Amino acid sequence: MNYKKRTMNHLRIGISCYPTFGGSGVVASMLGFELAEMGHEVHFIAYAQPVRLTRHHPNLHFHKVEVTDYPLFEYPPYSLALASKMMEVACEQHLDLFHAHYAIPHAVSAYLAQEMQEEYRIPVITTLHGTDITLVGNAPSFMPITRFILKKSDAVTAVSQFLKDETLEVFQVVRDIEVIPNFVRNDQFNCPVNCPDIGPSKADETATLVHISNFRPVKRICDVVKIFSIVRSQRPAELLMVGDGPERAHAERLARELGVDSDVYFLGKQLDIDKILHESDILLQPSETESFGLTPLEAATACTPVIATNVGGLPEVIVNGETGFLLPVGDVVGMASKAMELLSNRDLYIKVAKAGRAMAIELFNVERILNMYLQVYEDVLHG
Ligand code: GMT
């Protein structure tokens, strides 16, 4: 098979991802935008325009996957339509590589497109985000194909060391997996850390707690409501619930049962996450598991201290006691007590907020992470 002649300063990259509010789609969109800014040509291939791809850029392109429905199909085969589209875009746009975000089905479709494209070989880079390994990929119906694609991808990256270890253990594959964490732009979540306004300064001032997610069971949003209700019993507070998903109705009912519903605001899906984080005092993330925790990273960057669970990749993003607080899953009393501590001790609040932002900028800044991805691209193209 031929290899295409490439130049590293103008790559043509095909990205497939979920175009929704989920973390993997957000990371893929942010990465695509930054690559476009650097002068690379980026082609998104998905069933809808990715939601965070809001800004126009001459180097950014979107190719919509149309899925033909037919009465015979109980489940229209999106993976095949995606593979066909990826192959087509690769030929028409002379793509240098495919970057698939989330193994199922994007990496599998990319592999099929690679096999179908006969002119030259297009490498496939697969980025694992979390549930593609911890929940979906290891389900019996997907396990064999996830293992297959882990072996077949030209490069595999994982968003945390936790996810890398989990992948190697669960799938028993022997291969290199590079840890490339998620990233933030510090100008997007810019925060004047010395600003006297951060955090509520008086006990009688309303504190704003926030939770942002897809409201799936893994996020334990009823724990968010329970934590809030304990805090609310001790001081004026409100809770912003940002996002939507299957657990919403449970959480709404629980808020009513606990008598705090008038202070809980379900805001639905929102794009202005930076604005919401700036207006909030604490982010609550009591997840069952979290392979990275993009929202905690964004909160830390915005100087909004995080209270989360000590699971998965969260300890790689938040250092317990220094840049936020991590407690065992389900420990709603402990999390409420940490929230109260932060809200009543202004020095501690400022210390944690500053440390969170400093760590985010040092370890997860866009330049550092972009270079890591570019190195992977270079390795697969020239290695
Ligand atoms: O299930 C989700 O939470 C969405 C999922 C996704 O792929 O969209 O999130 C995962 O990827 C994010 C981006 O890399 C990570 O920040 C999240 O921690 C991860 N979610 C889980 O592991 C539960």
Side-chain angles (χ1 to χ4, degrees):
M1 178 75 65
N2 290 335
Y3 279 83
K4 193 167 166 280
K5 211 162 180 288
R6 290 115 178 163
T7 138
M8 277 306 290
N9 49 21
H10 179 80
L11 291 174
R12 296 191 171 114
I13 302 161
I15 294 185
S16 52
C17 65
Y18 283 107
T20 54
F21 279 86
S24 59
V26 170
V27 170
S29 305
M30 286 161 53
L31 177 64
F33 189 84
E34 297 300 334
L35 289 165
E37 280 274 278
M38 286 184 78
H40 302 292
E41 200 177 296
V42 181
H43 295 265
F44 278 87
I45 308 158
Y47 61 82
Q49 171 95 14
V51 285
R52 280 261 190 123
L53 215 61
T54 47
R55 286 181 287 175
H56 165 72
H57 195 289
N59 291 340
L60 272 184
H61 308 272
F62 167 63
H63 306 267
K64 187 168 183 222
V65 179
E66 303 284 355
V67 187
T68 306
D69 205 355
Y70 186 67
L72 183 66
F73 299 151
E74 176 137 0
Y75 307 101
Y78 175 67
S79 326
L80 302 184
L82 175 62
S84 298
K85 191 73 186 175
M86 289 178 87
M87 199 277 273
E88 224 174 86
V89 175
C91 293
E92 284 165 9
Q93 306 295 334
H94 310 288
L95 296 185
D96 294 309
L97 57 93
F98 287 130
H99 191 164
H101 288 263
Y102 212 87
I104 306 284
H106 303 122
V108 179
S109 301
Y111 170 75
L112 272 178
Q114 179 191 61
E115 288 288 300
M116 283 191 283
Q117 147 76 310
E118 287 172 344
E119 287 166 32
Y120 58 94
R121 190 177 184 282
I122 309 180
V124 172
I125 292 124
T126 298
T127 290
L128 305 172
H129 282 271
T131 46
D132 46 355
I133 291 299
T134 56
L135 288 179
V136 184
N138 64 11
S141 57
F142 290 128
M143 182 111 182
I145 200 153
T146 309
R147 183 185 285 121
F148 173 79
I149 201 57
L150 286 171
K151 286 191 198 153
K152 289 290 180 181
S153 299
D154 294 273
V156 176
T157 76
V159 296
S160 63
Q161 184 64 41
F162 158 79
L163 187 56
K164 172 180 172 171
D165 296 344
E166 194 73 4
T167 307
L168 294 176
E169 195 191 316
V170 172
F171 291 92
Q172 293 289 305
V173 283
V174 182
R175 70 154 304 146
D176 285 343
I177 296 182
E178 173 124 13
V179 176
I180 305 189
N182 293 332
F183 61 94
V184 275
R185 285 196 69 103
N186 64 14
D187 54 351
Q188 186 192 358
F189 292 96
N190 203 358
C191 172
V193 275
N194 294 319
C195 166
D197 307 338
I198 63 168
S201 47
K202 300 188 203 79
D204 59 356
E205 224 174 88
T206 299
T208 304
L209 276 55
V210 67
H211 172 77
I212 306 170
S213 80
N214 49 31
F215 291 14
R216 296 204 192 117
V218 71
K219 304 293 176 184
R220 295 180 69 101
I221 63 168
C222 284
D223 281 5
V224 174
V225 176
K226 289 179 194 164
I227 297 164
F228 173 71
S229 135
I230 300 171
V231 172
R232 180 69 195 86
S233 68
Q234 296 173 51
R235 62 164 297 147
E238 61 181 4
L239 172 64
L240 309 183
M241 295 291 281
V242 180
D244 210 338
E247 292 296 295
R248 177 176 174 156
H250 292 149
E252 283 176 331
R253 195 174 329 114
L254 182 65
R256 279 195 299 276
E257 280 165 18
L258 295 173
V260 291
D261 52 313
S262 59
D263 292 316
V264 180
Y265 300 90
F266 284 84
L267 302 180
K269 293 174 183 172
Q270 297 284 333
L271 276 172
D272 281 344
I273 298 302
D274 41 352
K275 192 161 169 275
I276 291 170
L277 286 171
H278 282 142
E279 286 167 8
S280 304
D281 300 312
I282 290 176
L283 175 91
L284 299 175
Q285 187 85 33
S287 305
E288 182 88 37
T289 179
E290 204 64 67
S291 295
F292 182 84
L294 184 62
T295 311
L297 174 61
E298 292 177 337
T301 314
C303 289
T304 305
V306 177
I307 297 177
T309 38
N310 53 9
V311 290
L314 279 167
E316 294 171 50
V317 182
I318 301 294
V319 179
N320 184 31
E322 283 178 35
T323 70
F325 292 101
L326 301 177
L327 289 103
V329 174
D331 184 2
V332 291
V333 173
M335 288 187 243
S337 135
K338 282 297 168 202
M340 284 306 297
E341 201 177 322
L342 272 172
L343 294 169
S344 52
N345 181 342
R346 190 151 181 80
D347 290 344
L348 176 70
Y349 186 97
I350 304 263
K351 201 174 118 212
V352 170
K354 277 187 178 183
R357 180 169 165 83
M359 178 172 162
I361 290 172
E362 191 191 334
L363 294 184
F364 307 110
N365 66 77
V366 60
E367 292 80 16
R368 176 168 179 259
I369 306 306
L370 212 60
N371 279 333
M372 293 171 91
Y373 276 119
L374 285 169
Q375 188 58 55
V376 171
Y377 294 171
E378 181 153 12
D379 291 348
V380 293
L381 291 170
H382 299 127

